[in-house]
Amino acid sequence: MQRLLLPSLKAFTGSRSVGLLVHRAASRVQVPSAAGSHHGSPAGVKKCGCNFGSRHPLRPGQYGTVTEVALQSGKAAVPLPSKAAEQAVGRWLLVCSGAVAGAVILGGVTRLTESGLSMVDWHLIKEMKPPTSQEEWEAEFQKYQQFPEFKILNHDMTLEEFKFIWYMEYSHRMWGRAVGLAYILPAAYFWRKGWLSRGMKGRVLALCGLVCFQGLLGWYMVKSGLEEKPESYDIPRVSQYRLAAHLGSALVLYCASLWTSLSLLLPQHKLPETRQLLWLRRFAGGTAGLVFLTALSGAFVAGLDAGLVYNSFPKMGDTWIPEDLLTFSPILKNVFENPTMVQFDHRLLGITSVTAITVLYFLSRRIPLPRRTKMAAVTLLALAYAQVTLGISTLLMYVPTPLAATHQSGSLALLSGALWLMNELRRVPK
């Protein structure tokens, strides 16, 4: 019977895997004795001789379960990470996003204290050891004296004052190196342990590549402030374009890390796919993009010191639209290089963002949503109005460093709230 059945089944299925299953199953089928006894064959009754009912050890090439057959056929060659592994990866990326946020905040303080140009060279390993002796500090100070910031702005600076701005920039650079290690070392560990799925491996590689690119971009930005410009007597500062690129890449790294960690740590809601929910999801995505753009425009405000141009609100001076809004030619140049236009744009983006968040909140109240999703919407609304209050206060008080640093930190908190709400509303994959 085995000789008759197996060729037919193999021809019908056309699958080697199924054939292996049938072969294994056939070897386990038990034929009862003629007397129907479960305790062996009675005397006088011979066994059929085909070895049915006896259990043999598996030979090479034999598989006893569907999973084993699937593994052999290549359909499940890499087992999916366990829930515990996903939680560990999610917590790691959450810590990484917090580290990136710390780097952004520290970088903002470094910019506000005008410390970013105090270290005039860049070495990956060598600069990790700060000066320790008086001679080393004097040598470092002498290098700084060769560049425009000292000659034009800080020509009367003392060594002790130099040490303060040097340590500010040094702290920012060392924090950046710590962020790089926080990504790369655990990523290698999780990869080796097999805790990363195929899609997650690509994402982790992209994050590690982005954090390395971020460090190189930071030095590229600093170099723009060290260049000699004989025809200019303006205060030396880094290029606002490179500053925006440096901040923008940091925000992308932060958003990608936070989104991935939330997706791994928070259980996904199974929301009914209604038209209202679809519109709410799209509106939340657009609002998050608007918040990101507003934060990025802050780099141009910082790069041009545009917060010191018009320190009044809601009007800019005595008018709603200042006269020097379009003084540069061509007109597009005003958007990125005219401090008046840069501040005007930042105001407009901020007001638009808080308006959109308010509308988003009231739209969310019209749909039955889980408690955690409602909490995300309320949190986002509160963060938006707190951030607007901080921004107006910073402007009216002529940009004091503590308040300006808090305002910059608030932009990250607001972006985090927008990402949280988006994550709560994400579609359940089929």
Side-chain angles (χ1 to χ4, degrees):
M1 182 173 66
Q2 187 178 8
R3 295 183 188 138
L4 292 174
L5 283 175
L6 286 178
S8 301
L9 284 171
K10 289 181 181 178
F12 176 75
T13 60
S15 169
R16 179 174 177 268
S17 299
V18 176
L20 288 169
L21 263 181
V22 173
H23 183 74
R24 179 64 185 154
S27 66
R28 292 188 178 184
V29 174
Q30 183 175 357
V31 178
S33 63
S37 173
H38 296 287
H39 302 285
S41 301
V45 179
K46 293 184 179 181
K47 293 183 179 179
C48 63
C50 57
N51 295 326
F52 285 3
S54 60
R55 187 180 183 91
H56 297 283
L58 293 176
R59 296 190 300 274
Q62 277 190 322
Y63 301 91
T65 65
V66 175
T67 303
E68 292 170 323
V69 175
L71 284 168
Q72 175 68 9
S73 61
K75 294 180 181 179
V78 180
L80 292 176
S82 65
K83 191 67 177 176
E86 288 186 351
Q87 292 285 313
V89 173
R91 286 190 292 270
W92 160 57
L93 289 177
L94 187 61
V95 171
C96 286
S97 63
V100 174
V104 172
I105 295 169
L106 186 55
V109 176
T110 303
R111 176 73 188 92
L112 288 166
T113 56
E114 298 180 341
S115 306
L117 300 178
S118 57
M119 296 180 69
V120 296
D121 48 18
W122 188 88
H123 303 283
L124 182 61
I125 304 298
K126 182 180 177 181
E127 71 181 26
M128 294 179 68
K129 179 182 179 295
T132 53
S133 66
Q134 183 70 14
E135 292 77 12
E136 289 178 346
W137 274 114
E138 289 178 354
E140 195 71 26
F141 192 29
Q142 287 175 3
K143 287 195 295 183
Y144 174 69
Q145 291 172 355
Q146 306 304 313
F147 289 88
E149 185 175 72
F150 177 82
K151 296 176 182 179
I152 298 175
L153 183 64
N154 295 331
H155 52 84
D156 57 349
M157 175 177 280
T158 65
L159 180 59
E160 292 303 315
E161 291 171 333
F162 171 72
K163 286 182 179 180
F164 171 78
I165 64 171
W166 192 92
Y167 271 120
M168 286 297 303
E169 174 65 10
Y170 175 79
S171 301
H172 182 52
R173 294 192 184 190
M174 291 305 103
W175 189 284
R177 283 165 172 75
V179 170
L181 293 176
Y183 274 93
I184 295 171
L185 295 182
Y189 174 78
F190 290 137
W191 193 300
R192 184 176 179 83
K193 294 282 288 184
W195 289 3
L196 303 175
S197 63
R198 180 178 298 179
M200 188 59 65
K201 285 180 178 179
R203 189 172 302 185
V204 166
L205 281 177
L207 292 175
C208 292
L210 186 56
V211 75
C212 295
F213 172 74
Q214 173 71 3
L216 296 175
L217 191 57
W219 172 241
Y220 178 66
M221 176 194 69
V222 169
K223 282 184 66 178
S224 66
L226 300 174
E227 297 170 353
E228 293 279 359
K229 300 174 183 177
E231 72 284 355
S232 174
Y233 291 95
D234 291 339
I235 296 175
R237 56 168 62 97
V238 299
S239 164
Q240 69 271 23
Y241 297 103
R242 299 186 190 185
L243 177 60
H246 187 48
L247 175 63
S249 63
L251 292 178
V252 169
L253 178 64
Y254 174 76
C255 291
S257 302
L258 182 61
W259 177 269
T260 305
S261 65
L262 292 177
S263 300
L264 292 173
L265 294 175
L266 297 181
Q268 193 166 358
H269 302 298
K270 294 183 179 180
L271 303 173
E273 291 296 328
T274 61
R275 180 175 297 180
Q276 285 181 314
L277 179 63
L278 179 62
W279 278 105
L280 183 64
R281 185 181 290 140
R282 289 176 178 175
F283 196 80
T287 302
L290 188 59
V291 170
F292 182 94
L293 187 60
T294 306
L296 190 60
S297 73
F300 288 92
V301 175
L304 293 172
D305 288 330
L308 300 172
V309 179
Y310 286 93
N311 297 95
S312 58
F313 190 87
K315 292 183 178 181
M316 297 181 72
D318 296 327
T319 60
W320 291 100
I321 301 178
E323 295 179 355
D324 57 342
L325 197 64
L326 299 172
T327 55
F328 291 8
S329 181
I331 293 178
L332 185 61
K333 192 176 181 181
N334 290 278
V335 178
F336 304 107
E337 299 184 16
N338 183 349
T340 300
M341 174 64 95
V342 167
Q343 189 191 118
F344 180 81
D345 291 342
H346 191 62
R347 289 182 183 220
L348 190 61
L349 286 169
I351 294 170
T352 306
S353 295
V354 74
T355 303
I357 290 171
T358 305
V359 173
L360 178 63
Y361 169 74
F362 285 108
L363 286 176
S364 68
R365 289 176 59 87
R366 300 173 59 184
I367 303 175
L369 295 172
R371 182 175 178 271
R372 199 177 68 206
T373 307
K374 292 181 179 179
M375 187 183 301
V378 172
T379 303
L380 179 61
L381 184 70
L383 288 171
Y385 281 94
Q387 177 67 350
V388 167
T389 303
L390 284 171
I392 295 173
S393 302
T394 302
L395 186 68
L396 296 179
M397 298 177 68
Y398 291 87
V399 197
T401 298
L403 197 57
T406 306
H407 180 54
Q408 292 180 355
S409 305
S411 65
L412 278 175
L414 186 61
L415 187 57
S416 304
L419 287 174
W420 179 23
L421 182 58
M422 274 185 63
N423 195 271
E424 291 290 329
L425 297 173
R426 72 188 190 276
R427 189 190 303 272
V428 178
K430 295 181 180 180

